[in-house]
Amino acid sequence: MNIGIDIDDTITKTSEITDQYAKEYTEKELKRKFELKKIDILDPMWARHLYGWSSEEDKKFWNLYYERIMRNVEPKEYAIETINELSKENNIVIITARLYKDEIITSQITKEWLKKYNINYNKLFVGYLDKRYISKENDIELFIDDSFNTCKQISESGIRTILMNSRINKKMENDKLERVFSWKDIREKIKTLEGVK
């Protein structure tokens, strides 16, 4: 089976490390008190809403910290073990929306990170905001992502989809999407799927 997997907030703890760097940025660069706003976030560009930044402050943050976030983010618990177990009998295709100034730089950082954590995969695609075409082109049969919109689009294109719970999708519901809260949940769900070994 061909399994498509997103990276940020699916394999990785991206929100957590972003919070850490956002605190550093707010206090050191912006010289003001850091405060995580207690609001529901539905926008994929959630950082500026959650941290109370202007558009300019948000842009400056990503310019300063995005590469560090990509390099230093940690994997979610059981993500590596589950992906590597699946890779023994399935094709793992990593498809990420990541884009940092230059696709080559982003690809290189991402490859280095995957190598650092010994994550087995067959293909890597970087910079895909709309993942439908690349999923169809690679005959993806199961897709795992934290983006509600991506999961909805992928599901509507006929691919079975698992939605990883995150701060930007926790209030969103769709009967066709199977929500999970951890890679342990994914392991259990995948055991029940026909065609996945």
Side-chain angles (χ1 to χ4, degrees), residues 11 75 79-85 87 94 110-121:
I11 296 175
I80 298 168
E81 299 92 326
T82 304
I83 293 167
N84 288 349
E85 185 63 33
S87 74
I94 295 177
T110 304
K111 285 175 187 172
E112 288 169 5
W113 187 89
L114 291 164
K115 186 176 180 182
K116 173 182 174 182
Y117 285 101
N118 298 309
I119 296 174
N120 298 329
Y121 65 97

Side-chain angles (χ1 to χ4, degrees), residues 59-84:
K59 187 176 179 182
K60 185 178 178 186
F61 170 78
W62 293 109
N63 282 335
L64 288 170
Y65 287 92
Y66 192 45
E67 187 173 334
R68 278 185 258 182
I69 289 168
M70 287 191 291
R71 288 190 187 281
N72 298 319
V73 68
E74 293 181 358
K76 288 182 180 257
E77 191 173 20
Y78 300 114
I80 298 168
E81 299 92 326
T82 304
I83 293 167
N84 288 349

Side-chain angles (χ1 to χ4, degrees), residues 13-137:
K13 300 177 183 179
T14 308
S15 292
E16 290 90 332
I17 195 170
T18 304
D19 288 347
Q20 292 169 24
Y21 284 129
K23 183 176 190 303
E24 178 182 305
Y25 170 71
T26 304
E27 293 174 351
K28 292 183 179 175
E29 291 283 332
L30 304 181
K31 308 290 186 197
R32 62 178 187 249
K33 186 180 176 192
F34 175 73
E35 182 183 352
L36 266 174
K37 296 194 179 296
K38 294 184 178 177
I39 55 174
D40 289 335
I41 304 293
L42 303 178
D43 184 349
M45 305 310 288
W46 51 266
R48 63 192 175 92
H49 304 295
L50 199 62
Y51 308 134
W53 296 334
S54 69
S55 294
E56 292 76 25
E57 289 167 344
D58 183 66
K59 187 176 179 182
K60 185 178 178 186
F61 170 78
W62 293 109
N63 282 335
L64 288 170
Y65 287 92
Y66 192 45
E67 187 173 334
R68 278 185 258 182
I69 289 168
M70 287 191 291
R71 288 190 187 281
N72 298 319
V73 68
E74 293 181 358
K76 288 182 180 257
E77 191 173 20
Y78 300 114
I80 298 168
E81 299 92 326
T82 304
I83 293 167
N84 288 349
E85 185 63 33
L86 287 170
S87 74
K88 291 176 184 173
E89 306 235 12
N90 301 279
N91 293 316
I92 303 299
V93 181
I94 295 177
I95 306 171
T96 177
R98 283 182 170 186
L99 199 54
Y100 171 72
K101 295 180 183 174
D102 181 315
E103 189 178 324
I104 295 168
I105 294 171
T106 308
S107 293
Q108 191 56 43
I109 291 169
T110 304
K111 285 175 187 172
E112 288 169 5
W113 187 89
L114 291 164
K115 186 176 180 182
K116 173 182 174 182
Y117 285 101
N118 298 309
I119 296 174
N120 298 329
Y121 65 97
N122 299 90
K123 294 180 184 176
L124 170 66
F125 296 96
V126 169
Y128 284 82
L129 293 173
D130 186 334
K131 300 177 182 179
R132 287 174 289 190
Y133 175 74
I134 199 70
S135 295
K136 283 289 188 186
E137 195 175 69

